[in-house]
Amino acid sequence: MTASLARLARRQGRLHQRARILQQIRAFFIAGDFLEVQTPQRIPVNAPELHIDAVASAGHYLQTSPELCMKRLLAAGYPRLFQLCQCWRSGERGRRHLPEFSLLEWYRRDADYHQLMTDCEALLRQLVPGGILHWQGHSIRLDQPFERLSLATAFERHADRSLQQALAHDRFDECYSDQVEPQLGLDRPCLLYDYPASMAALARRRPDKPALAERFELYLAGMELANGFSELTDPVEQRQRFEAEEQQRRAAGKPACPPPEPFLADLAALPTAAGIALGLDRLVMLLTDASDIAEVVAFTPEEL
C-alpha cells in the first residue's frame, strides 16, 4: 500500500462518523420543519467582503457562501431553509482551514439572532447526547446554558486594551486572534455577540445601539464554529455597505467585486429574518477529537 493510500485508510473511522453526523444534522432540521435546498455553487458574483476572496470559474465565481440565493428564497416566501454544501475561498489553508470546505447554513423568517443562538444550543446538544464534548484535552459542558458574551466584555476580560482602543489603534485583529479567541468556549460553548456594524456587512443594526450589529459567533475550545446574524433587509443600506466593502477591497489591491444586483432587487421583499453559517469540517473535528481538518475530509488539496 502506498503512503497516500495508507493516509486515506487511516481516515476511514472518522469518515464513517462524519457520515452519521451529517445524517443527524439533516434529521434535526427536518424535525424542525426546515426545507433542505440546493442552490447553484457557480454564480455570477458573491457578496463583496474585504477579507474573503472568491475563486474565479470561467467568467463566474465559485460560491463563498450560499447566502445570497437562500435569502432570495426567504424573500419569495419560504419560511425555514437549510443547506449542506461546498464553498470555496481563495488562499485559505491551515490546520483549521481548507480552500474548499463544507458549510451548513440555515435561515428563519420572522426571527432574529437570539433565535439562532437557541438553535445552536439545541443542535449541539442533539449531536452530543452525553452533554460533555471531549476535544484535545478540553471537556466542554453542553448540558448547561451556553455562555453569552458581548464582544466588548470579551475584550475587557481577555485583552490588554478595550474594544474601542483596539479599533482606534488598528489593533483589533491582533488582539482578537492572540488574546480573545483562545479564551472562548473552553469549559462551555461561548456565543460572542454584538459586533461593530463595520464588521457585519450583511447584518441588521441594533435599533437601540446602531453602532452595533446583531451578529454573533459560536466558539468551542477557542475555535470559531459559526457566524450568524439578524438580516439587513434595507436594500439602500445594503448597497451602501457593499460599496464601502468594495472601496476597501480596491484600496487593498484586490480584484473588483460588483454588487449582486438580483439579490439587491429582491431584498426589499425580505421580512425580518436571521441566518447562520456553520463550518461542518470544524464541527466534525470537534465531534471526533481530530486536531487537524485534514483528518476529517476524504482528500486535502495536496492529495489530489
Side-chain angles (χ1 to χ4, degrees):
M1 181 181 290
T2 65
S4 63
L5 289 179
R7 286 196 300 271
L8 298 179
R10 287 195 295 270
R11 294 175 194 157
Q12 188 170 161
R14 283 198 171 95
L15 293 184
H16 276 284
Q17 291 177 278
R18 180 187 179 109
R20 288 194 293 272
I21 290 166
L22 296 184
Q23 292 168 356
Q24 290 176 294
I25 290 171
R26 282 195 164 94
F28 173 85
F29 284 103
I30 291 170
D33 200 26
F34 282 74
L35 174 67
E36 182 174 7
V37 297
Q38 292 179 308
T39 57
Q41 298 184 6
R42 180 176 173 272
I43 56 179
V45 67
N46 287 279
E49 295 188 65
L50 175 59
H51 299 294
I52 297 177
D53 295 319
V55 176
S57 175
H60 280 54
Y61 296 90
L62 301 179
Q63 67 176 0
T64 58
S65 162
E67 65 181 313
L68 298 184
C69 288
M70 294 187 76
K71 290 177 190 176
R72 293 177 69 187
L73 291 173
L74 283 181
Y78 294 73
R80 288 173 297 280
L81 302 169
F82 82 100
Q83 181 167 184
L84 303 168
C85 64
Q86 296 302 103
C87 295
W88 293 260
R89 296 179 183 179
S90 179
E92 298 200 2
R93 184 67 178 100
R95 294 177 66 85
R96 298 179 180 182
H97 294 86
L98 289 168
E100 178 185 352
F101 58 97
S102 301
L103 203 62
L104 162 66
E105 291 207 11
W106 72 92
Y107 292 82
R108 288 178 174 271
R109 283 171 59 120
D110 303 316
D112 64 10
Y113 67 152
H114 294 291
Q115 178 61 58
L116 298 180
M117 294 182 200
T118 301
D119 289 343
C120 288
E121 294 199 34
L123 174 61
L124 286 177
R125 288 192 179 116
Q126 178 159 314
L127 295 174
V128 185
I132 300 178
L133 175 64
H134 300 285
W135 184 76
Q136 300 297 301
H138 297 280
S139 295
I140 305 170
R141 300 292 299 265
L142 305 178
D143 55 354
Q144 300 176 353
F146 290 10
E147 182 180 27
R148 301 196 179 198
L149 186 67
S150 73
L151 182 63
T153 302
F155 266 76
E156 291 173 6
R157 289 185 185 179
H158 304 302
D160 60 4
R161 67 198 67 213
S162 70
L163 172 60
Q164 292 304 318
Q165 290 171 333
L167 292 170
H169 295 95
D170 197 24
R171 299 286 300 279
F172 175 85
D173 290 342
E174 175 189 347
C175 293
Y176 189 62
S177 60
D178 293 346
Q179 300 175 353
V180 178
E181 277 190 312
Q183 304 303 318
L184 302 177
L186 298 184
D187 54 2
R188 56 176 172 152
C190 177
L191 296 159
L192 191 68
Y193 66 90
D194 283 0
Y195 284 68
S198 60
M199 296 181 180
L202 292 103
R204 184 176 72 194
R205 295 176 186 267
R206 276 189 55 168
D208 58 332
K209 296 180 180 180
L212 299 176
E214 294 185 350
R215 174 192 169 196
F216 76 95
E217 291 187 334
L218 170 63
Y219 278 88
L220 282 81
M223 186 189 304
E224 179 205 340
L225 188 59
N227 176 37
F229 44 85
S230 307
E231 302 293 348
L232 175 60
T233 59
D234 181 343
V236 174
E237 183 178 353
Q238 185 63 82
R239 182 180 295 277
Q240 292 170 346
R241 297 228 204 141
F242 282 161
E243 290 173 350
E245 290 286 321
E246 182 62 6
Q247 289 175 0
Q248 294 183 71
R249 287 182 57 83
R250 289 175 184 267
K254 294 191 173 187
C257 183
E261 296 295 347
F263 166 74
L264 290 169
D266 291 344
L267 189 59
L270 181 63
T272 300
I276 182 170
L278 185 151
L280 278 172
D281 305 312
R282 290 185 179 185
L283 176 62
V284 177
M285 284 179 63
L286 289 164
L287 295 177
T288 63
D289 196 23
S291 62
D292 194 305
I293 202 166
E295 300 173 45
V296 300
V297 295
F299 291 91
T300 65
E302 299 80 15
E303 295 169 326
L304 297 174

